Amino acid sequence: MNNSSLITVMLLAFTINSCGFERSPDTNKKEDSLTTKNKKSLVNLNEGANMDNPVVKSEEEWKKELTPEQYRVLREKGTERPFTGKFDEFFEHGTYYCAACGNSLFESETKYNSGCGWPAFAHAIENKRVKLQTDKSHGMIRTEVLCTRCDSHLGHVFDDGPKPTGQRYCINSISLDFKKKKK
Ligand SMILES: [Zn+2]
């Protein structure tokens, strides 16, 4: 390893925050102008959505349907800035859905405040609703969480969560839609 690549690795290490997500200063400006209030309402929340009716779309189609920031996170495996997502400090009772395809993913009962800057869940509604795969990007080995139905990137899962599952599904707000529970 020569000196410049060593410096690159060191700089990269410093950009990784304690929650294991990358911080990319280059994208911060863009995110400021794309607040969640501009988020397109694009999904018919589909509680029956499952893996028997997968959603397969071309990247061109996704680009048309999603906002640029949604596309960056959901389809290009980006990460929203910590403490900026609309569901980080949000504890209404209801269900969280994939913002790309409407697959129901998480219940509010399993959501907790991890202090990490992103919504955290102890587990998915059913294991089969999310797909886990190894992510070796940014010099780390993490477990990526994807929507099983449409293959969109949701976030990562870590094993430092509270009992009994011990899991922390650290999910981008922008990857989620929420529907409040009827009283
Ligand atoms: Zn989906």
Side-chain angles (χ1 to χ4, degrees):
M1 191 181 283
N2 61 33
N3 279 348
S4 64
S5 58
L6 185 65
I7 288 166
T8 308
V9 168
M10 286 169 70
L11 283 174
L12 185 63
F14 278 111
T15 61
I16 306 300
N17 67 28
S18 61
C19 288
F21 276 78
E22 81 275 22
R23 274 181 176 162
S24 172
D26 295 337
T27 58
N28 289 351
K29 241 184 235 165
K30 208 167 156 192
E31 286 180 3
D32 285 340
S33 61
L34 286 165
T35 58
T36 48
K37 71 175 184 283
N38 296 327
K39 182 176 174 290
K40 284 182 196 170
S41 175
L42 41 90
V43 177
N44 288 323
L45 299 180
N46 182 357
E47 305 195 34
N50 59 47
M51 285 51 67
D52 299 329
N53 52 347
V55 173
V56 180
K57 288 179 186 176
S58 70
E59 290 309 308
E60 280 311 305
E61 286 174 294
W62 283 123
K63 246 178 211 171
K64 275 183 208 158
E65 289 189 10
L66 303 170
T67 67
E69 181 58 6
Q70 283 179 320
Y71 185 82
R72 187 183 76 80
V73 174
L74 285 157
R75 304 305 306 176
E76 298 184 321
K77 305 183 187 301
T79 299
E80 68 193 4
R81 276 191 302 152
F83 305 104
T84 62
K86 66 176 178 178
F87 298 129
D88 181 29
E89 301 271 334
F90 179 91
F91 294 98
E92 300 274 337
H93 290 288
T95 304
Y96 293 84
Y97 299 80
C98 171
C101 78
N103 187 18
S104 50
L105 299 171
F106 300 100
E107 294 289 3
S108 57
E109 285 73 19
T110 67
K111 189 176 187 301
Y112 63 95
N113 191 357
S114 69
C116 189
W118 293 275
F121 301 89
H123 58 84
I125 291 174
E126 296 176 291
N127 287 342
K128 65 180 184 181
R129 289 176 192 251
V130 293
K131 190 167 95 181
L132 305 181
Q133 67 183 30
T134 304
D135 171 12
K136 292 184 178 171
S137 64
H138 304 287
M140 295 176 282
I141 298 178
R142 293 177 292 172
T143 304
E144 182 186 2
V145 183
L146 299 118
C147 170
T148 308
R149 190 168 176 241
C150 74
D151 234 18
S152 290
H153 172 80
L154 304 171
H156 291 87
V157 61
F158 302 93
D159 59 7
D160 58 5
K163 288 177 181 174
T165 68
Q167 292 189 312
R168 174 167 59 94
Y169 281 85
C170 197
I171 306 298
N172 291 286
S173 293
I174 204 161
S175 298
L176 298 171
D177 271 327
F178 176 77
K179 192 175 166 189
K180 203 171 175 169
K181 209 158 266 176
K182 285 181 195 130
K183 279 174 190 166

